[in-house]
Amino acid sequence: MLYREAGEFKTSYAQDSQTFPIWWDRLWYQVALVVGFLVLPFFMTDYWANAVFVPFLIYAIAAIGLNILTGYCGQVSLGTGGFMAVGAYAVYKLMTSFPEVSIVIHVILAGGITAAVGVLFGLPSLRIKGFYLAVATLAAQFFLVWLFNKVPWFYNYSASGQITAPERTLFGIAVTGANTPAWAKYLFCAVFLFALAWIARNLTRGTIGRKWMAIRDMDIAAEIIGVNPLAAKLSAFAVSSFFIGIAGALFFAVYLGAAEVGEAFGIQKSFLILFMIIIGGLGSIFGSFAGAAFLVLLPVFLKNVLVGGLGWPSDLAAHIELMILGGLIIGFLILEPHGLAQLWRVLKEKLRLWPFPH
Amino acid sequence: MFDERPPAATETLLEVNNIEVIYNHVILVLKGVSLHVPKGGITALLGGNGAGKTTTLKAISNLLQSERGEVTKGSILYRGERVQDLDPATLVRRGVIQVMEGRHCFEHLTVEENLLTGAYTRTDGRAAIMDDLEMVYTYFPRLRERRKSQAGYTSGGEQQMVAMGRALMSRPEMILLDEPSMGLAPQLVEQIFEIVRAVNEGEGVTFLLAEQNTNVALRYAHTGYILESGRVVMEGSAQELRENPDVKEFYLGMSDKGRKSFRDVRSYRRRKRWLA
Amino acid sequence: MNAMDIEAAPAAADAPRIGGVLMEMRNITLRFGGVKAITDISFDIREGEIRAIIGPNGAGKSSMLNVISGFYVPQEGEVWFKGKRRPQMKPYEVAQQGIARTFQNIALFEGMSVLDNIMTGRLTLMKTGLWSQALWWGRAQAEEVEHRAKVEKIIDFLEIQHIRKTPVGRLPYGLKKRVELARALATEPKLLLLDEPMAGMNVEEKEDMCRFILDTNDEFGTTICLIEHDMGVVMDLSDRVVVMDYGKKIGDGTPDEVRSNQAVIEAYLGVQHD
Amino acid sequence: DLVVPNLSYRTGPFAAGGIPYADGFQDYFTLLNERDGGIGGEKVLTPECETAYNTEKGVECYEATKGQGALVYNPLSTGITYQLIPKMQADGITLYTPGYGRTSAANGKVFEWVFNYPANYWDAASVAVKYLLDENGGSLEGKKIALLYHNSAYGKEPIRTLEELSEKHGFELSMLPIDSPGQEQKSQWLQVRREKPDFVVFYGWGVMNSVAIQEAANIRFPMENFIGIWWSGSENDVIPAGAGANGYKSLTMHGVGSDYPVYADLKQYVHDAGKAAGDGSNVGTVLYSRGMYAAMVIAEAIRKAQELAGTSAVNAAQVRDGFEALEITEARMEELGLPDFGQPFAASCEDHGGPGMARIQQWDANERKWTLISDWIAPDDEVLTPLVMEDSAAYAKEAGLTERCN
Amino acid sequence: MLPDQLLFAMEVTLNGLMAGVMYALVALGFVLIFKASGIFNYAQGVLALFAALTLVGLQNGQIPFAHLINATFGTKLHHFGWTLPSVVAIALTALVMVGLAYLIERLVLKHLVNQEPIILFMATIGLAYFLEGLGDVMWGADIKKLDVGLPQGISESIESVTDAWFGYGFFIDKLDVVAALVAAALVAALTLFSQYTKYGRALRAVADDHQAALSVGISLRFVWVLVWSIAGFVALIAGIMWGTKSGVQFSLSLIALKALPVLMLGGFTSIPGAIVGGLIIGMGEKLFEFFAGPLIGGATENWFAYVLALLFLVFRPQGLFGERIIERV
Ligand SMILES: Nc1ncnc2c1ncn2[C@@H]1O[C@H](COP(=O)(O)OP(=O)(O)OP(=O)(O)O)[C@@H](O)[C@H]1O
Ligand SMILES: Nc1ncnc2c1ncn2[C@@H]1O[C@H](COP(=O)(O)OP(=O)(O)OP(=O)(O)O)[C@@H](O)[C@H]1O
Ligand SMILES: [Mg+2]
Ligand SMILES: [Mg+2]
């Protein structure tokens, strides 16, 4: 047997509710941490950082954020791009207004500001449900993008409305701006992701997480057993937006370095992140990681295969890439509607039973 | 009330041979179930929660696929033909219709529209359908009163009637009836079973009904099967079953001294013999 | 009474089980558009008793529970609880007052495990804030463990240990009902409303369920109001019965009184079989 | 080999513009390779990378290609340009953005690695106003000009310039933003109907162009008073409006049509040899010519770099020097088979922006072709230079750069 | 004579209503599919694009997949060399849409019976990607002119009539007038179909409960092919209108975003709602842009449409004409 839990006994409730109750899982998790923090940084090149790892880390944060709202609390949102923009513009204003304050604080504050905005746009969720709410969140998406495009104060009155991240350092090493070494970008985002994923895990396994899930699964019943729907939904909007705001801040400050709101934080972004969580698995933190990895890696991979490997013209490759991506999304949904995370769980269940089929 | 009736016919209409059903590729639910449903009879499928009654019915009506379940072994023959690979619509056209557990009304359609959807596969003209609608309304007067309300807003019992009526509207040869008594007032339970009997006798419709309410079911059925954890543990004519001491104790709630009070069952019971 | 403690001694055996009026419905009328679901109904529930509501389908029984839960707002009438007139409340506020319930068409949280479902019952009792939870420090973890212990007792009580970690979606119907009861019990209710707790069960399971209901009532002194169609159960379990028909009250009294009430027989019971 | 990555977009909302441009860009280098054996004997490689006009994909393309020894980038997207400016400055690779990108990059003192000659967005706005001045006897006093623009960084660029110019020349300026992609412009054109501006200056890209021209025709706005920037003046933009587009004007920074000697070579060495980048249907169109023009300037800069460095295998830093020392004369253009195609210019350490001249072309719907109707018009540097200085100084401050060339 | 400002406002209102009709054409397709299968079909916009691309391609005798074939075999194909009359091309395109509906059912929906709405929604997004790529590979990504002979440009008759009445000739696009007529006819036909025919009832039944529909013998496959075919046909009409207006290329698919607020306001399940929603949204956003736009910087239409819809929703969470959301325990 490759994977088993036999022989593991829990002697306390705390032990029983830990994140990785099975020893094997715990091992994998620790290996991943060691590789992520102690090995990868030494091998980080500009290409890998900018094309794969940094976007992956940042999208994973955003995906966890959206997963809290959509996967855990059941409120489908298409305003993610707009909320990321709030984070980006908040961090930009903070960075340029208070250059002496640490960038870490700016990023966290940007998350806080986004949380406040998120709560504001979450208010209608009390009355509006399902797809109606999803479409309603588009109001946030379009309004926020318009706002940042229209009000020059947000982009410090620059001629084109573009914002550019100034260089900021942490422990003497640049983490934003063009001179940032690849490993620093990577580590900076990785630390945020780790901390946020850990917080997300804590929240979702505790009281508040249960409130969210109760609302998701059956809001009326949840209310009747004593969950205040307003508080639960708004807290989900707040926490989710906090995560998404941080993702937006990092996306602009660390990853892109310069951004234009409509282009970097348009509706496409909202959809992309929604894809991530659905493909990864709604209501699963692991799923957020898996979904982000999948959707960041897949296009890069396809491009390399089709253009680099098969030598197709880049436009044809791009079109076919779209078809493949679309096809894969459908394929995955048919194969396992509950995402990569569920696929993984089924696999584990099979492994546990292995070599017996049932 | 226990009028003893001989089984109406001996020809087998539906035959289920040793089927196995697996959900989600991993959960094995039916572990070899075989049934013979005689034409023109009422066959009861009894058993506790999770025994696999619903699963059996769905396997027959081919509704399993949509629940990620599949029949992995065995065969299902209807009038001697394999029907496993047909889609549910074809099966309805051939005369087998299921009334699902939990009613499953079309919430946004009115009661009358719900009933009319039952006639979807029929091609015998509007007049005939209207006649049958009238018939259903005669069976269930309550539905006539609520014909214009959205089904989603009707009470549980009303919904059960809608579901039954809807099935009748398809003029079936065989009805798979899943827990018709669930949540119904006693009078209505009687009424529904009376209707089952009336339809069975009057129109010659064969019934395979899954029931928890063993008491009523065995009163109306001709034959019965008892299912436990995905296996048939007992079968026989309704009368045989009714008189079996185990059935009496576990399914009818009777002890030697007649019906036990629910207040007295608090102290402990022995386990079923066949589960040993 | 926040004494869900299993070890705590049950109410003194010799004290009368049934106390004063706990909840009183006065002249409740509820309409949906043209449909009159409840017409001018009054009845009371005494502390510690098992009160049954029966009636034909569509009589308005579930609607009555919904009124008590605060989910439906009656057009007329008053609800009195613990001797005070209850102002209009949101359902979650009602729950916080100590009224718990189960639902006719099981309303469990399908995406969660049995344990988590029952833990949701404790939500109103858990107090740690967002920060502490986010960091999983101090209070949060301690509280979690504390409540988990209480929930485990309920799990033991209802004999569902083996399915603790199973997602409820996969459970058979009867167990789901039991989990729902567990969730309601987890809120440590003063008044427990059960909407057809035994529908869809076979005799054996009904017996189990009856035992749980009686034990709950006995051991914790929880007041219970239940809707049920199985007359055997109603007659055996309840102290008093309200009978509704077409939104009106047609009978109220002890099981024996109700059983012999001609109006009730006509409207509901029909001919007796056993 | 010399590597000049071609960050193109043949997909996405702006593919219609991206395709001919990329074809022209690619074909010109193919011509050099086939006819001359490359530049100074070194073959030119143009690995193509699809950006779909999307900044993130642009960054990915940049990272993917820069390791191959890339010498210069020309991403044809203002958004991607903004993204790349700091990165390329850090990596020491030249960014060449003719007619688009960050206008204030014209200031070589701040933007060491960016070149945007011969003309930029602000030049365009100024040239358009100058042209209108000429048309109106030297005065725009009391006239109304509406700026209809793509509501993005690109479209917003000319606003400052036009504001300054409106003050200087006394015309009234109104602003009509259109959100990308711009298929619905009813409101804007109703606004035009209401305000009755004398002229509409247009900064559009993609479908927005053809829809605007169609709508202008629909409301019977006089086409000769409707002037687009060079990104709103291709065949794609006018053909859909059919006869209604007749008389529409746009700026251009290079010649039009395929009557230049270079096309004979292109046909012989590239198209007939089956080496063309696209299906050949775009040859001679406005955007094809522009792609070719950009390639030509890059090739010339590389040639210059080879000359300066004394080696044919130049590196990125040497190419930058080539750009900075580049001088394109009329004689040279003639040699290249493009007589009078573009304006002559000479770069310097301070000046990365060129003279900024442009000509006006007008669409003839019957002939289905563009005709040049003006000579080169110079922008109003008196107004532009301070703006460039101000904006570049702001950037220098933000990015912590010190001025060079002193 | 009326004051200028009022006249302008009237003109804007009229044009807003017309624009709303154009949105409604797209929204209709959404409604149909949602009503019949509970699927929120994000691909509706792409469907319109695909239909328009196919129409233009057929009309001009383009060789499908020419680019792909050329790239793989080094050939130089592009056109067959014939052109088709519009009517024939439209009929053929309609057939293609039916075929597409069949394939979608076969390859996608069939495998997703009984899944949660969000999963189905996702699947349609996958479908949108796929079709977009397919459309591009088949017909190329360049911008194409679509001309099926619909009139376009200012309607002189309306202009002269209103000029005579008000002293100011209103601007109305002829194309919009045609669109309005077509939309009215479509709405009437579809409403009757869904409310009063057996198939219409089946569509609604499927929307409510897949399993129950199966159990009464409604073939999901048939219903879905039917409804996707109709939606494909509606998409074709929307594609023709929008393609004539703004050319056929990628951005055409983004009209879906203009249809969403319409849908939300009218209700996801109401066919007349799509039209009324369209009218309100079109008029609202144009008037807002006209009056408030100049004050706050313009380009407000995108978000204002959504905010307007949101405001309505707060008072009627199921949209103006949407079915009541059944909330019971
Ligand atoms: N979709 C499903 N996926 C996984 N397991 C399922 C599914 N449906 C049913 N099961 C499992 O199959 C077993 C049999 O269920 P089934 O519904 O057939 O029982 P039943 O006899 O009808 O019970 P009841 O009287 O409660 O309706 C149960 O253990 C149930 O948990
Ligand atoms: N939200 C609602 N909107 C409209 N009508 C409703 C609503 N809720 C209940 N009704 C109607 O009120 C009446 C009473 O319904 P209720 O569910 O209370 O019946 P019940 O007594 O619980 O019946 P059952 O035993 O079948 O569950 C029914 O006719 C039902 O259709
Ligand atoms: Mg069952
Ligand atoms: Mg009820």
Side-chain angles (χ1 to χ4, degrees), chain B residues 155-157 183, chain C residues 57-58 60-63 104 195-196 227 229, chain E residues 328-329:
Chain B
S155 81
Chain C
N57 295 108
K61 304 179 296 297
S62 299
S63 302
Q104 182 168 7
D195 198 346
E196 304 199 16
I227 297 177
H229 283 305
Chain E
R328 289 194 61 179
V329 282

Side-chain angles (χ1 to χ4, degrees), chain A residues 46-47 50-51 59 92 149-150 155 159-162 164 166 178-179 185 251 255-260 263-264 269 300 303 307 314-315 318-319, chain D residues 8 10-11 48-50 53-56 60-61 63-64 66 78-79 82-83 86-87 90-91 102 122 149 151-153 156-157 177 391 395 398:
Chain A
D46 269 355
Y47 178 73
N50 285 322
Y59 280 127
Y92 172 70
N149 195 6
K150 242 340 110 163
Y155 47 83
S160 60
Q162 288 264 1
T164 307
N179 297 314
K185 273 186 190 191
F251 195 76
Y255 175 51
L256 289 180
E260 180 190 352
E263 158 87 68
K269 198 108 303 160
V300 174
K303 191 163 156 178
V307 182
S314 61
D315 56 336
H319 296 149
Chain D
S8 62
R10 294 169 182 275
T11 62
E48 190 160 348
C49 188
E50 172 69 38
Y53 200 76
N54 170 309
T55 48
E56 284 156 66
E60 202 249 323
C61 277
E63 296 292 349
K66 83 173 185 200
T78 299
Y82 269 82
Q83 228 52 220
K87 286 191 204 297
D91 292 337
R102 181 167 195 145
W122 299 355
Y149 65 96
N151 194 14
S152 70
K156 286 197 282 187
E157 283 267 357
D391 193 66
Y395 178 79
E398 251 184 36

Side-chain angles (χ1 to χ4, degrees), chain E residues 132-146:
Chain E
E132 194 184 311
L134 182 70
D136 281 349
V137 174
M138 261 175 104
W139 308 109
D142 48 329
I143 188 162
K144 300 179 185 67
K145 182 170 163 54
L146 172 63

Side-chain angles (χ1 to χ4, degrees), chain C:
Chain C
M1 87 120 219
N2 265 0
M4 187 65 212
D5 248 334
I6 308 279
E7 288 97 317
D14 45 32
R17 191 167 67 88
I18 298 176
V21 172
L22 178 67
M23 167 157 270
E24 195 182 352
M25 314 300 287
R26 292 191 188 164
N27 307 95
I28 303 285
T29 297
L30 175 71
R31 282 184 296 268
F32 298 106
V35 183
K36 252 190 176 180
I38 301 176
T39 315
D40 193 31
I41 288 193
S42 308
F43 69 97
D44 62 10
I45 302 170
R46 297 212 193 109
E47 202 155 348
E49 79 173 331
I50 298 181
R51 186 77 148 119
I53 303 180
I54 60 172
N57 295 108
K61 304 179 296 297
S62 299
S63 302
M64 183 57 89
L65 286 204
N66 281 333
V67 170
I68 301 180
S69 293
F71 183 63
Y72 286 163
V73 180
Q75 276 77 15
E76 284 157 43
E78 297 171 359
V79 179
W80 288 65
F81 186 58
K82 291 187 183 163
K84 282 202 279 292
R85 174 163 181 204
R86 191 175 84 182
Q88 200 198 311
M89 275 184 180
K90 293 252 189 284
Y92 69 90
E93 292 167 324
V94 172
Q96 281 159 4
Q97 281 203 328
I99 299 181
R101 69 174 285 186
T102 67
F103 303 88
Q104 182 168 7
N105 297 313
I106 303 177
L108 283 171
F109 307 122
E110 298 269 330
M112 305 192 216
S113 67
V114 168
L115 182 64
D116 276 333
N117 262 283
I118 305 175
M119 286 292 277
T120 56
R122 311 278 318 163
L123 288 177
T124 48
L125 305 167
M126 293 171 90
K127 298 283 178 277
T128 43
L130 198 64
W131 290 115
S132 165
Q133 284 181 51
L135 303 177
W136 205 243
W137 261 341
R139 277 299 294 146
Q141 197 170 3
E143 187 179 49
E144 177 85 9
V145 169
E146 207 174 282
H147 286 268
R148 171 74 188 271
K150 298 244 168 85
V151 164
E152 286 293 339
K153 277 177 195 146
I154 295 168
I155 289 178
D156 280 349
F157 174 57
L158 294 178
E159 297 166 12
I160 45 180
Q161 301 89 335
H162 58 294
I163 51 161
R164 227 188 244 127
K165 295 276 170 85
T166 321
V168 289
R170 284 195 207 164
L171 294 181
Y173 189 84
L175 281 179
K176 282 189 184 172
K177 285 253 163 193
R178 221 185 277 181
V179 175
E180 226 191 3
L181 178 63
R183 183 180 68 187
L185 287 180
T187 64
E188 298 181 6
K190 180 89 191 138
L191 172 62
L192 179 60
L193 312 172
L194 303 174
D195 198 346
E196 304 199 16
M198 278 158 266
M201 292 192 173
N202 62 13
V203 175
E204 187 185 356
E205 287 153 343
K206 280 184 184 170
E207 287 173 354
D208 282 343
M209 205 58 162
C210 287
R211 186 161 54 86
F212 296 134
I213 292 173
L214 288 172
D215 285 352
T216 306
N217 178 256
D218 259 16
E219 292 187 26
F220 316 129
T222 309
T223 310
I224 291 171
C225 174
L226 73 92
I227 297 177
E228 187 45 62
H229 283 305
D230 185 318
M231 276 314 103
V233 171
V234 171
M235 298 303 159
D236 292 350
L237 257 54
S238 53
D239 296 300
R240 289 187 302 153
V241 184
V242 182
V243 191
M244 293 174 68
D245 185 27
Y246 277 99
K248 298 202 183 65
K249 185 164 102 173
I250 56 169
D252 189 350
T254 63
D256 288 327
E257 284 164 24
V258 166
R259 203 198 309 249
S260 50
N261 179 330
Q262 196 51 40
V264 176
I265 293 172
E266 267 165 32
Y268 183 58
L269 299 176
V271 212
Q272 292 292 300
H273 294 291
D274 38 306

Side-chain angles (χ1 to χ4, degrees), chain B residues 23-24 27 29-30 47-56 67-68 101 178-179 182 212 227, chain C residues 169-174 200:
Chain B
Y23 280 111
N24 272 333
I27 308 166
V29 172
L30 294 191
N49 287 119
K53 304 183 294 296
T54 303
T55 307
T56 310
E67 288 205 29
R68 316 210 127 226
E101 180 181 35
D178 202 350
E179 305 235 5
M182 192 204 281
Q212 295 270 15
L227 229 54
Chain C
R170 284 195 207 164
L171 294 181
Y173 189 84

